[in-house]
Structures are given as C-alpha cells and as structure tokens.
Amino acid sequence: MLKQAHKNIRHLSKEELEQYFEQLGEKKFRAKQVYEWLWTRQARRFEDMTNLSKELRTKLAENFSLPALTADLTQNSADGTIKSRFRTVDGHLVEGVLIPTDDRKTACVSSQIGCSLSCKFCATGYMDRKRNLEFDEIFDEVALINEQCEKSYGKKLTNIVFMGMGEPLLNYKNVLKAIEMISSPEGLGMSPRRITVSTAGVAKMIRQLGDDKVRFKLALSLHAANDAKRHEIMPINDTNNIKSLIDALNYFYQQTGNEITFEYILFKDFNDSLKDAEELVKIYRQVPADLVNIIEYNPIDLASFEKPDEEKTMQFMHYLEKHRVNVRLRRSRGKDIDAACGQLANK
C-alpha cells in the first residue's frame, strides 16, 4: 500500500487521488470531490471540504498536508494598487501586486523567494534567493489576489504577469505547472493568452519554452541595447548576450507564434540617449516583437540610478515611433507603497 508520509495533497494527480481512495475502500468520485475542493474552490484546509464526512476529513488531515500561502500584510496605494505580502508554511515572505486599470485587473506574481540574478536596479536583486516557489504556492498567489480583486473591484482578474520576485525561467517546472493549473477549467480557468512570463533572459530556457509549445506570452527584460551596458546592470548578460537572446526569441516565435514584448527601463544618462534608441530599433527589427514597453524607473535605496526627465523620455519615445516601433510608456503604479516595478523586497 502507498505510504503517504504527510505528502502535500496538491502534489498528487487526480489519478493518484483515485488510487488513494480506492485503497481506503472509498468510492472513486471522492477523488473528484477533493480535487475540486483543492483547485476549483481553492480550499486551504481539510475542514473546509464540507461535502466529505468528518471522519474522511480527519483521515485526509492525518495522511496529507495542505500547505497553503496566507496573506501576511496588505498595503493600499493611493492609485488603487494593492500590494500583498504572503507567508509560506515554512515562514518565508513573498510579494504580489494587484494592478487595477479601467479595462484590466492584473496580478503581478512572484516565482521565487528572493532572486539569484543581482540586477543592479531591482530591489529583489539585492536579496539572496532562498528557494523556488512550488507550483501550488504560485497558484495560491493568483487565487488570493483574485479574491482580493473580486472583493475590492467586484471583478475577477483579467491578466497575470510573472514580473514579481525571482526569475521565472529558473523555476521552470513549477512556473509551467502553476500556469497549467491557473488556466485549467478545473483551476482558475484563465486563458494562457492573458498570462505573460517575463524573463531577464535565459536563452536556453526561452528555447525550451518553444519546444514545450507554451501558449502564454513572453516578455524580455532588455533594459540596455548593447552588451557592454547590459553587462553593467544585468550580470546574466555574461552568459546570455543579446545575440543569443535574439536567436532564442526567434526560435520561440517559430515554435509558438506567441506574442513577444521587450521591456526597457529608462535610466538617466545611462541608456536614454538617441544612440541608445537607435540600437534598440536595430534589436526590435531582428525579432518579431509586438511591442516595446518603456518603463519608468522607480528608485530604490540600494541603487544610485535616477529616472530621466519627461522631455528626455518623450524624445526617446518619439525616436522609436518615428522608426515604426510599436512603443508604449508604462507609467508606474503603487510607488507610494513600494509596489512598482523593481521595488519588491519585503520591506
């Protein structure tokens, strides 16, 4: 007989749950009921599973664990953005953000506790990577932010971006499994086309996404349009230079046809000149990218970067537009609560 030493029940497939109930001499449909409680109804405790007998709930609690993420702290920004700090069962903290606009309600979620990439402009980059988030923990982030969204705005989430703490492609299996459960009709039923995974650029794993024929969108955090500058602010560029990323993105697009976006934070007197804009146009033309997102820099205590003035930003934008680049300026949200791009650090 299967010995279940307090295994996380959400790490069992439906088939394994069926097996377990058969061994107990229970009807097969119990597995379907429990699976529904775990994923469709997002139960976070066995006692919530009210259509099971008390005896069966006790048995499940004796045999399995159900380690769910809990909301530890919530902060509300003046612009409607809500930042949540979540606590894992083993006591780690991780942050997620609800970004509401008139036509979208977006969850920005984390994939790791801390980060190993040390990007110089990002608060999370100054933390150590403690561990990867499990797929069910990532699922919980989305489910909790979705509940928050319904409570605060009377609507469900419309979009999810993996742009919180950590590098999603360095927690590849859990991120893909989480997205599978988030988009499953048995989970949150969200279209993968409304999910964007953002990477600092792990060429090998971008190719793997192509091989795995994923259906979600991909965003590349470029932030500098030549290797020398990118190397200065993003150490990952040492092993994943711009040419290798261009090749990987083209491969990803050939395999999937999915939307690709470039993310580019403007730093004053570093990557905001017209020469930088010209180099960015060259990269854009080598990849079937849909969009360049120009992002406002949000200051953090640990870095000395500043954001350029409005005029400089507009000159940069106009240069790109003039050269037929589809470009959008992403204004920062939630700055007053350190919830904006690059500011997540469990303060």
Side-chain angles (χ1 to χ4, degrees):
M1 170 156 173
L2 273 172
K3 177 90 179 85
Q4 301 291 353
H6 278 53
K7 186 177 165 107
N8 179 343
I9 193 165
R10 289 196 288 185
H11 289 187
L12 296 187
S13 66
K14 209 189 286 178
E15 293 66 41
E16 288 170 316
L17 272 176
E18 282 174 3
Q19 245 178 348
Y20 169 76
F21 283 112
E22 274 174 22
Q23 286 169 353
L24 280 189
E26 285 280 349
K27 297 271 191 289
K28 218 173 171 178
F29 75 86
R30 292 282 176 228
K32 186 175 185 293
Q33 282 179 316
V34 171
Y35 197 80
E36 196 172 282
W37 274 113
L38 294 175
W39 299 110
T40 317
R41 301 196 193 188
Q42 292 114 50
R44 296 188 183 101
R45 301 172 316 161
F46 290 112
E47 53 260 44
D48 294 341
M49 302 178 178
T50 45
N51 59 359
L52 305 179
S53 70
K54 201 162 181 200
E55 189 192 354
L56 192 53
R57 282 180 274 172
T58 307
K59 202 163 207 96
L60 286 173
E62 283 168 1
N63 281 290
F64 297 105
S65 63
L66 178 45
L69 223 55
T70 51
D72 181 72
L73 179 72
T74 307
Q75 288 172 280
N76 293 71
S77 162
D79 65 19
T81 299
I82 304 172
K83 178 168 84 166
S84 299
R85 188 171 75 190
F86 301 114
R87 186 177 288 275
T88 64
V89 166
D90 56 348
H92 289 297
L93 297 170
V94 67
E95 292 181 341
V97 184
L98 169 60
I99 308 159
T101 59
D102 291 343
D103 55 343
R104 284 178 175 212
K105 303 286 177 277
T106 303
C108 173
V109 297
S110 299
S111 54
Q112 295 180 312
I113 297 159
C115 188
S116 57
L117 293 188
S118 316
C119 296
K120 300 290 179 269
F121 48 84
C122 174
T124 313
Y126 288 87
M127 299 167 68
D128 290 332
R129 186 189 75 85
K130 300 282 192 294
R131 68 169 174 83
N132 286 335
L133 283 170
E134 296 284 343
F135 72 88
D136 46 310
E137 293 175 316
I138 297 170
F139 179 90
D140 280 347
E141 274 186 273
V142 176
L144 287 163
I145 295 173
N146 189 48
E147 281 168 25
Q148 212 172 51
C149 191
E150 294 195 66
K151 200 167 135 195
S152 302
Y153 294 102
K155 288 180 177 157
K156 287 187 183 326
L157 288 172
T158 60
N159 296 77
I160 300 167
V161 295
F162 280 76
M163 294 180 186
M165 305 168 83
E167 165 53 60
L169 298 192
L170 294 181
N171 185 14
Y172 191 89
K173 269 193 175 132
N174 282 310
V175 166
L176 260 62
K177 180 73 178 160
I179 291 173
E180 183 191 319
M181 295 314 299
I182 290 161
S183 50
S184 162
E186 295 175 311
L188 292 168
M190 192 156 197
S191 162
R193 303 264 174 238
R194 294 183 168 271
I195 299 173
T196 302
V197 171
S198 174
T199 175
V202 189
K204 186 174 133 194
M205 302 321 287
I206 292 172
R207 288 175 170 274
Q208 186 64 52
L209 290 173
D211 288 335
D212 287 335
K213 302 283 192 282
V214 300
R215 289 162 55 219
F216 50 79
K217 299 175 182 178
L218 187 63
L220 175 72
S221 296
L222 188 63
H223 308 320
N226 65 55
D227 282 321
K229 284 187 182 180
R230 197 166 189 268
H231 160 82
E232 216 176 302
I233 55 170
M234 300 177 77
I236 191 173
N237 200 75
D238 298 357
T239 47
N240 294 266
N241 66 13
I242 291 173
K243 182 178 181 328
S244 74
L245 294 173
I246 288 171
D247 291 346
L249 289 172
N250 279 309
Y251 181 79
F252 169 81
Y253 187 79
Q254 282 158 14
Q255 299 301 314
T256 66
N258 294 356
E259 200 172 295
I260 297 169
T261 303
F262 285 119
E263 315 259 63
Y264 192 97
I265 299 173
L266 281 181
F267 302 110
K268 183 181 177 183
D269 301 332
F270 177 74
N271 66 351
D272 61 350
S273 71
L274 292 184
K275 172 130 183 42
D276 292 303
E278 186 190 335
E279 288 179 329
L280 182 53
V281 171
K282 282 183 188 152
I283 292 173
Y284 178 80
R285 289 197 177 140
Q286 292 176 71
V287 177
D290 287 74
L291 180 70
V292 173
N293 255 330
I294 300 294
I295 302 170
E296 286 189 309
Y297 176 63
N298 302 298
I300 57 166
D301 298 341
L302 295 154
S304 54
F305 295 105
E306 290 175 49
K307 73 178 221 183
D309 60 31
E310 191 70 11
E311 191 187 343
K312 196 85 189 261
T313 302
M314 286 305 136
Q315 282 175 353
F316 194 92
M317 294 278 295
H318 290 149
Y319 183 92
L320 296 180
E321 283 166 349
K322 197 172 79 187
H323 290 83
R324 298 197 300 287
V325 171
N326 183 22
V327 61
R328 185 173 61 200
L329 179 62
R330 202 165 83 206
R331 297 280 181 196
S332 291
R333 305 287 304 260
K335 273 191 281 202
D336 54 335
I337 54 168
D338 287 328
C341 184
Q343 292 185 319
L344 298 187
N346 290 334
K347 271 201 189 168

